[in-house]
Amino acid sequence: MENIETKDIQGIILKGYSNLPAADFLLLGIKDPKAVKNWLKNNISEITTGIEKPMERAMNLAITMDGLKQLGLDATTLNSFPMEMEDGMLTRHKQDYLGDYGNSDPANWEWGGKKTEPIHILLMLYGANETIMNAYYSKQKKQLEENGFYAIKKLDTTVLPLRKEHFGFQDGIAQPTIKGLGRSDNPENTVAAGEFILGYKNEYDQYPMGPVMNPAIDKENILSPSPVQPALKDLGKNGSYIVFRQYQQDVVKFWRYMDESTRLENEKCNEHEMIKMASKMVGRWPSGSPVTLCPEKDNSTKSDTDSFGYRHSDSEGLKCPFASHIRRTNPRDAQDMSAKSSVGIANKHRILRRGRSYGTPVASTMDPEDILKVSHAEGERGLHFICFNADIGRQFEFIQNAWVNNPKFEGLYDERDPITGNHSHPSNSKKTGTFSVPQHEGLRNRYTDVPEFVNVKGGAYFFMPGIKAIKFLSTI
């Protein structure tokens, strides 16, 4: 088994920093590359590594392709990055692939879009509480301004009660375990390190594509040789690629649709059926318990349960509909092959999620009935979706295109993901979707005019270098 060099890997890749609930994400530009490189050199010890257990604060850093160009990385090395990093999210074919249309069109984004300033650096700050976070941010802000950076946007975050996201469902349950870190988990959920970290073998028993360079450029001999091309230096070793997308959630619209679709004959709210329908769309109840294990009502004793499949217990989607969000984003053993092969295929498309919510909850209780009492929710709320993968095309982009936005997923006809799917494709004048809940004897309940509950407000792909790679970048 490969030895994972945790001290050279940035900490957020290996840890979710759950003990550091406060966070700020700083989107930065580079105005003075020389000063920025000097800052990198002087702040390497500030960057939290995977071997550390930060108790008060943490800092991690990632760079876009534009940022790497600004730092002076040579064209040959830049060309060794995967195509997805070069293309980004803004080309027309990526818009088709990711389904970014209508309100989610990159022309409407607040950052990272077609009409916004290019992002160079992502600085991720974490703190044990707001007081520590605010002091840490103030300190970093001053240093950044004095060392060649300029601020583009500061993305704040919010800690929601009971580990929930804004729709009211417990989040962050289904995470793969990285093989080689010594953590015990079911074999089906233990995934090769090379699916998330460059420089290690992936589920194909191959090394993922990472940036390499001419050894002559590494004048201080900081980097290791590439395991695939030993004559070249490995800039990607112990790094990863970040997908960062800001998702705005329309919480009131979400629960109003559930309410209106399940009302009693006397037009009164049917609370149980309303929550049940929302849970069928998500694939879990608000507590986090899977609907495939608890099809009729929530069971908080199974709130953290992630060890389940679909093939034998729910092959017809009678418990967890085929179109539900969690069944789409990780089909587990349910694909058209043997259970073992299906899990193996699904594990080749896993991602590590490290996102944080932002904005004030519509109702502090997170209770649907309280949310429905709100006529207009002030402000904006949503999720800063952040995930790590070693192959953006095969992992995040595949999930988004082949599973989330595919209307024919698992034999369906015209259904996209009811939670995060985009219905505003230019080839179709209809801007709403459908959602089917299979019933016995081939029948189904079909819900129409499902609106978009989530819109993209910004996004970018980043390279998160290993610690040695950051040191190298400070020398070029």
Side-chain angles (χ1 to χ4, degrees), residues 127-168:
N129 54 53
E130 288 298 328
T131 301
I132 291 173
M133 183 72 258
N134 291 337
Y136 197 31
Y137 165 70
S138 297
K139 175 187 174 183
Q140 292 302 326
K141 181 176 182 290
K142 185 175 185 296
Q143 288 189 1
L144 294 167
E145 290 171 348
E146 295 173 350
N147 286 278
F149 296 91
Y150 62 92
I152 295 175
K153 195 171 184 66
K154 175 174 176 279
L155 301 174
D156 298 319
T157 66
T158 304
V159 180
L160 300 181
L162 304 174
R163 291 167 50 198
K164 295 198 173 189
E165 49 71 52
H166 279 289
F167 290 141

Side-chain angles (χ1 to χ4, degrees), residues 73-117:
L73 197 62
D74 66 289
T76 301
T77 305
L78 288 168
N79 287 337
S80 70
F81 277 85
M83 180 178 61
E84 291 81 11
M85 282 292 295
E86 181 64 35
D87 288 347
M89 299 181 185
L90 304 183
T91 63
R92 179 54 192 269
H93 80 279
K94 279 301 174 66
Q95 197 173 356
D96 280 336
Y97 211 71
L98 301 178
D100 292 336
Y101 289 105
N103 293 328
S104 295
D105 192 304
N108 302 323
W109 290 3
E110 296 177 355
W111 62 272
K114 294 179 179 178
K115 300 177 182 178
T116 59
E117 199 164 3

Side-chain angles (χ1 to χ4, degrees), residues 207-222:
Y207 291 99
M209 181 179 178
V212 291
M213 52 181 289
N214 188 322
I217 303 173
D218 184 12
K219 295 183 175 64
E220 297 184 18
N221 195 29
I222 297 169

Side-chain angles (χ1 to χ4, degrees), residues 3-22:
N3 177 41
I4 299 177
E5 300 172 357
T6 55
K7 67 180 180 181
D8 194 46
I9 299 170
Q10 293 200 50
I12 188 59
I13 299 176
L14 303 183
K15 309 177 192 304
Y17 297 151
S18 60
N19 65 317
L20 304 177

